[in-house]
Amino acid sequence: MNAVEIKNLSKSYKDVKAVDNLSLEIKKGELYSLLGVNGAGKTTTIKVLSLLTDKDEGEVKVLGFNTEKDTEEIKKLISLSPQETAVAPMLTVKENLEFISGICGFSKIETEKKVTELINLLSLQNVKSRRAGKLSGGYQRRLSIAMALISEPQLLFLDEPTLGLDVIARSELWDIIKALKGKITIILTTHYMEEAEELSDRIGIMKEGKLLISATPDEIKAKTDEATIEKAFIKIIKGEVK
Amino acid sequence: MKSLILAKRSLLEFIREPINLIFSLGFPLVLILLLSAIQANIPVSLFEISNLTPGITVFGLSFISLFSATIISKDRSTSFLTRLYTTPIKPYEFIFGYTLPFIPVAVMQAIITYLVAFVLGLCFNINVFYAILFIIPVSLLFISIGLLCGSLLSDKAVGGICGALLTNLTAWLSGVWFDLELVGGAFLTISKALPFYHAVELERLVLKGSFENILTHLIIVLAYTIVIFIAATLVFIRQMKKQ
């Protein structure tokens, strides 16, 4: 079954066509990365899928539900970790998690269980009583993902999850994302090509609102006759692939 | 229920920032002490404590606008609201969640101001309780202004509009510091067209026990509050959809 089904999606902002006739299917349990230069339409696509913006044209189904009619059902099943860390800075790590759990409607007992599980899963034990605003970038990203996971989403959007992190923090976050693979569907946007190559089951490359290719990392490399996704990406974006 | 969860979070964000407490609870105290000291050293009756105290409780609320606007605009700029928009929380729950925490702050601000006023010579009577009670609808006016500014403006612009413009409007056009009738003309007309003058008059009349004269002022304050709340809600929903 597909987690996401997009048919002929278009979305414009004034005169700019952010997404242009996009069609895409993402399978349940898949980790799908959307790549593209700035303004390619990745973020707009995620915003349509996560109900943050309305589409102009096309048909979009998320986990079998229509994004126009079934917004309440979809909101219960999805979660977003935005590009900015999006944490409450004066609340502790534990309080941030308890807050989101409460917003998602979980009871006190459920919240306590979930918070403990996520603190362990994301290795936040040492900082659980520290205020989020005082954490390092790496820990803030982990907290952001933990906050996105607390609702037990079936579909998780990770928008530039490792932006601005050092090599070690990025590697640690990759391990966490890998541990989630297969359990839930993940749609990831990133500018780091090695990240997409390392983590993704499939990659979609967008340019000027259009999806140029959607395939596995190996298929993309084979098609472009390149050894890395970064080189393949450049070739595709420059239009050097037929 | 979700409103209460959001309200608890907003309150914690507010009270854990020391500068917020200093401004919201400390600044009105500094003003009342300073102006009472001036009154003690001048021959005319300019800052009578019974007239000054209700005015300062209203003026102090302009800081509440600043704080409520700041918390929303920061939540917008840090994508914290974007995260919440994807959860099953409704627009009205957001509005309540950002409104509720500032009501107890406003009441606490008024209580502290009155406690200091007692020390400075204000006579205690039952009307003080009513004045504190009536600070709740007045505080809703200032909170709604904060909600509107926070939904419309960036966190930097909020500092200018709510921090500078609103505090000045409240200071000059409310009659807290001087009798607006003495200025008269267009200044008085503009002051009476805005809600700040009526908020101060309402509080002064309640403290005096002149309840028969409060209705017009109360209606004007409530009318402004309702209109601004509706505007804030519409702008907030528009921002949600504009993501």
Side-chain angles (χ1 to χ4, degrees):
Chain A
M1 189 190 166
N2 290 324
V4 170
E5 290 174 15
I6 303 173
K7 282 181 196 161
N8 310 114
L9 169 68
S10 290
K11 170 76 185 175
S12 297
Y13 294 107
K14 292 181 181 168
D15 297 334
V16 180
K17 200 142 201 174
V19 179
D20 188 2
N21 202 29
L22 172 70
S23 293
L24 174 66
E25 289 181 353
I26 297 171
K27 294 185 198 81
K28 266 197 170 177
E30 199 173 17
L31 195 154
Y32 191 94
S33 290
L34 274 175
L35 304 182
V37 293
N38 289 336
K42 315 181 293 284
T43 302
T44 303
T45 304
I46 284 197
K47 280 183 174 178
V48 172
L49 291 172
S50 57
L51 309 177
L52 287 170
T53 194
D54 294 330
K55 61 185 169 57
D56 294 338
E57 290 169 44
E59 194 184 323
V60 180
K61 279 190 177 177
V62 172
L63 299 159
F65 292 105
N66 189 302
T67 53
E68 271 178 308
K69 298 172 195 160
D70 310 318
T71 54
E72 291 306 307
E73 285 82 355
I74 292 173
K75 280 186 175 186
K76 287 174 194 163
L77 302 171
I78 64 166
S79 199
L80 167 74
S81 178
Q83 200 175 108
E84 298 83 2
T85 45
V87 296
M90 301 304 278
L91 266 58
T92 66
V93 166
K94 195 165 172 274
E95 286 168 343
N96 265 285
L97 293 170
E98 287 167 346
F99 166 69
I100 295 290
S101 180
I103 289 292
C104 293
F106 293 109
S107 71
K108 217 171 177 181
I109 295 165
E110 285 172 317
T111 294
E112 207 169 312
K113 189 169 162 263
K114 280 167 183 295
V115 168
T116 307
E117 276 172 13
L118 282 167
I119 283 174
N120 292 332
L121 179 70
L122 278 292
S123 303
L124 290 163
Q125 298 93 330
N126 295 337
V127 294
K128 66 180 180 185
S129 302
R130 280 177 60 187
R131 288 190 187 168
K134 301 278 183 194
L135 298 176
S136 67
Y139 274 119
Q140 284 198 3
R141 291 277 171 196
R142 286 191 205 189
L143 173 59
S144 178
I145 293 174
M147 287 165 78
L149 287 172
I150 205 150
S151 63
E152 294 181 2
Q154 290 184 30
L155 175 58
L156 173 66
F157 299 96
L158 296 176
D159 195 4
E160 305 271 358
T162 62
L163 186 73
L165 296 188
D166 61 45
V167 177
I168 302 297
R170 181 175 300 162
S171 163
E172 286 171 352
L173 211 52
W174 283 3
D175 290 340
I176 289 164
I177 295 168
K178 279 178 192 168
L180 295 170
K181 273 183 75 171
K183 294 174 188 163
I184 56 175
T185 310
I186 300 174
I187 300 179
L188 179 139
T189 67
T190 181
H191 278 111
Y192 301 116
M193 300 298 144
E194 74 279 16
E195 181 165 288
E197 189 169 359
E198 176 85 14
L199 299 174
S200 314
D201 295 313
R202 282 194 305 147
I203 292 172
I205 297 177
M206 293 183 75
K207 184 187 177 186
E208 293 167 356
K210 289 182 187 294
L211 186 67
L212 302 181
I213 190 167
S214 178
T216 66
D218 287 340
E219 286 167 351
I220 291 174
K221 284 188 281 187
K223 189 162 188 185
T224 53
D225 202 21
E226 290 291 352
T228 64
I229 284 293
E230 184 164 341
K231 286 183 177 170
F233 174 82
I234 293 167
K235 226 172 180 177
I236 291 166
I237 292 290
K238 284 185 172 177
E240 293 167 4
V241 181
K242 288 185 182 172
Chain B
M1 187 61 189
K2 284 171 188 166
S3 297
L4 291 178
I5 293 165
L6 186 56
K8 184 187 167 192
R9 173 261 162 182
S10 303
L11 187 63
L12 286 174
E13 290 275 339
F14 173 78
I15 60 175
R16 284 180 182 175
E17 184 66 74
I19 196 85
N20 291 346
L21 293 179
I22 291 168
F23 265 89
S24 62
L25 302 178
F27 197 66
L29 294 188
V30 171
L31 280 177
I32 200 167
L33 289 169
L34 185 69
L35 295 172
S36 297
I38 292 171
Q39 178 61 56
N41 291 291
I42 55 173
V44 291
S45 175
L46 196 60
F47 300 121
E48 285 289 340
I49 195 75
S50 59
N51 216 30
L52 184 65
T53 310
I56 286 186
T57 59
V58 173
F59 178 69
L61 296 174
S62 57
F63 295 103
I64 303 280
S65 294
L66 175 64
F67 300 134
S68 65
T70 303
I71 201 162
I72 295 182
S73 60
K74 271 192 181 168
D75 282 353
R76 282 173 48 222
S77 67
T78 60
S79 290
F80 191 73
L81 266 177
T82 304
R83 181 194 289 281
L84 295 181
Y85 289 157
T86 62
T87 65
I89 181 165
K90 295 181 173 59
Y92 76 87
E93 291 173 321
F94 278 111
I95 297 296
F96 282 128
Y98 283 118
T99 302
L100 295 175
F102 293 105
I103 297 172
V105 175
V107 171
M108 192 54 71
Q109 194 181 52
I111 290 172
I112 291 172
T113 308
Y114 274 104
L115 286 175
V116 174
F118 293 144
V119 175
L120 295 171
L122 182 73
C123 292
F124 175 79
N125 63 60
I126 190 70
N127 292 331
V128 171
F129 284 112
Y130 293 123
I132 292 169
L133 195 66
F134 272 89
I135 212 73
I136 293 172
V138 179
S139 73
L140 289 174
L141 167 72
F142 283 88
I143 295 168
S144 67
I145 294 171
L147 293 177
L148 182 61
C149 291
S151 301
L152 269 177
L153 307 168
S154 69
D155 49 349
K156 281 181 187 166
V158 155
I161 300 291
C162 278
L165 184 64
L166 183 67
T167 47
N168 270 291
L169 279 177
T170 316
W172 297 108
L173 301 176
S174 65
V176 176
W177 318 123
F178 53 89
D179 189 350
L180 294 173
E181 301 284 346
L182 293 175
V183 184
F187 195 85
L188 180 64
T189 309
I190 293 168
S191 298
K192 285 189 172 177
L194 292 170
F196 312 113
Y197 162 80
H198 299 283
V200 170
E201 283 303 300
L202 171 69
E203 282 296 309
R204 281 178 177 158
L205 289 168
V206 170
L207 188 64
K208 277 182 199 160
S210 305
F211 293 97
E212 65 278 9
N213 297 319
I214 66 169
L215 194 61
T216 310
H217 301 298
L218 184 61
I219 287 171
I220 292 172
V221 168
L222 289 178
Y224 264 100
T225 305
I226 290 166
V227 169
I228 297 171
F229 252 111
I230 291 169
T233 307
L234 293 175
V235 171
F236 191 88
I237 292 170
R238 189 169 162 266
Q239 292 284 10
M240 270 178 93
K241 290 186 174 173
K242 233 178 87 178
Q243 284 292 311

